[in-house]
Amino acid sequence: MAAVSGGGPEADEPLPSVPGEPRHPSGPAAGEPSDDSAELSAGDVVPGGFGWARVAGRVVPLAATGVALYLLMPQLLAVFSAFPRLRAFQPLWYPAMVLLEAASFACVWQLQRIAISGLSWPLSVTSQLVSNSISRIVPGGIAVGGAVQFRMLNRGGCDPAAAGFALTATSMVTTGVVFGLPLVVLPVIAFGQPAPTGLTAIATTGGLAFALLVVVGVVLSRSDATVRLLARAVAWLARLTRRAVPADLPAVLVARRRDVIRSLGRRWPAAVLTAAGKWGLDYLALLAALAGAGQHPRVSLVLLAYVAANVLAMIPITPGGLGFVEAGLTGTLALAGVPAAAAAVSTLAYRLVSFWLPLAAGAPAWVAYRVRYR
């Protein structure tokens, strides 16, 4: 939850002033010495050195991604080798999957508008699509994509502190919902048809993770001391990267946290419903992919397989969980009773619509954003 990628058109442009705040002159006032240190950014190499931290920050994630993809290559090849079998996929299920995924993304855009007061639809849509694409291209992309969206919202006129807290809040809500989905299945497993041991473990782990997220959310929403501690940690990291940090950052974050809670507090049922809609519609797209492959397994077991795949997608090693999701989803669908060949075809069709198609929407969204907010 909510820095621009290298080479982007925004890289050297100053940020516009936030509405309602006084503008500062672009250069030093007459008679005042210029402060060259203010020109340093997180991507600059420290003068007199070789920028080892910067090099390590790029080389280590790339190396980890390469190793992970090498280890997962057999599973990836097994999924992508199913391309010829897509000819037997029932074509009418493709438009259904696309519509379900579009509705899932619309829930994300609406959730952002609930959390960020005054956020327009165009800014919500374009910033999220660009962030989503970047997070699926670069290693550790979740953090990079969140930073890009934060920058885009800031340029679009959103208060930066409020936008940061809002993105964090929406991320916690959506993550909490996906971890809470196994709780829906646990009664079915306990009092109905049993599930394989692996899927039962997924349900139990998801329930524990959901409880942990609830505790973290309650602490962050009620403890000013915790927020101030996080602000000091952010300030320390910013100083390591030679970024300027406001002296009143803890007080600002506490105030903005209260604003976001006040905004979500009035509309928390809508926030939870839209977050559930995001995952529910995406889950229905997976069921549509299975139906297109001629498979109709127990929906409760498919839900557990779906949760496991999305948890694997959160692993910040490969972009968008590439490889982890394919391997995890085919394996868990097999536990749910789907034959291996059909599981590979269903996973491939589902990932084409849920991963690769939204990835292609990032570039047009960036162009639309630049046209509107240039």
Side-chain angles (χ1 to χ4, degrees):
M1 302 175 151
V4 179
S5 58
E10 293 182 353
D12 296 317
E13 296 177 13
L15 290 175
S17 301
V18 178
E21 293 187 0
R23 294 180 178 268
H24 299 283
S26 58
E32 293 183 2
S34 61
D35 185 5
D36 294 335
S37 63
E39 299 299 324
L40 287 174
S41 65
D44 293 326
V45 178
V46 178
F50 295 98
W52 294 111
R54 180 188 181 194
V55 173
R58 295 186 179 184
V59 171
V60 172
L62 286 174
T65 299
V67 171
L69 289 177
Y70 174 77
L71 295 175
L72 293 168
M73 190 57 64
Q75 289 82 0
L76 274 173
L77 291 177
V79 171
F80 285 109
S81 65
F83 260 109
R85 291 196 292 270
L86 284 178
R87 289 193 296 266
F89 192 89
Q90 300 177 29
L92 290 178
W93 286 104
Y94 281 121
M97 293 166 62
V98 172
L99 289 175
L100 287 168
E101 286 296 334
S104 175
F105 273 78
C107 288
V108 178
W109 304 330
Q110 176 60 17
L111 179 59
Q112 293 179 160
R113 296 184 71 247
I114 291 174
I116 304 176
S117 179
L119 179 62
S120 65
W121 274 103
L123 184 55
S124 180
V125 172
T126 55
S127 65
Q128 192 275 333
L129 286 177
V130 172
S131 170
N132 177 74
S133 295
I134 290 177
S135 67
R136 299 181 180 198
I137 293 174
V138 301
I142 295 177
V144 179
V148 170
Q149 185 174 18
F150 172 81
R151 178 74 177 264
M152 293 175 70
L153 292 173
N154 190 13
R155 289 181 62 87
C158 295
D159 178 84
F165 257 113
L167 291 177
T168 302
T170 56
S171 177
M172 290 189 66
V173 170
T174 53
T175 304
V177 169
V178 74
F179 279 123
L181 288 177
L183 299 179
V184 179
V185 184
L186 282 177
V188 178
I189 296 175
F191 303 105
Q193 295 177 324
T197 304
L199 294 181
T200 304
I202 292 171
T204 304
T205 304
L208 294 175
F210 176 77
L212 178 62
L213 282 173
V214 169
V215 172
V216 172
V218 170
V219 171
L220 288 176
S221 64
R222 295 181 176 273
S223 173
D224 292 351
T226 303
V227 175
R228 292 191 177 94
L229 179 62
L230 290 176
R232 287 194 289 270
V234 169
W236 178 75
L237 291 174
R239 284 193 292 270
L240 286 181
T241 57
R242 293 180 173 265
R243 285 188 178 272
V245 181
D248 60 344
L249 180 62
V252 170
L253 291 185
V254 169
R256 294 299 180 266
R257 188 277 314 267
R258 292 171 180 166
D259 293 340
V260 172
I261 291 175
R262 189 179 303 113
S263 176
L264 283 177
R266 295 192 300 266
R267 295 180 285 179
W268 69 265
V272 173
L273 283 176
T274 51
K278 176 252 189 298
W279 295 114
L281 292 164
D282 188 52
Y283 165 67
L284 290 178
L286 176 59
L287 289 180
L290 287 165
Q295 300 297 313
H296 303 279
R298 285 170 52 189
V299 293
S300 58
L301 299 184
V302 175
L303 179 61
L304 295 179
Y306 171 79
V307 171
N310 279 281
V311 172
L312 290 172
M314 297 177 188
I315 300 175
I317 298 178
T318 61
L322 182 64
F324 285 98
V325 174
E326 284 77 7
L329 192 55
T330 52
T332 51
L333 285 177
L335 290 176
V338 180
V345 172
S346 302
T347 299
L348 178 59
Y350 168 72
R351 289 290 276 174
L352 287 175
V353 175
S354 64
F355 181 87
W356 296 104
L357 187 60
L359 181 66
W366 172 255
V367 173
Y369 171 84
R370 292 295 295 171
V371 169
R372 185 177 180 89
Y373 298 102
R374 60 184 175 185

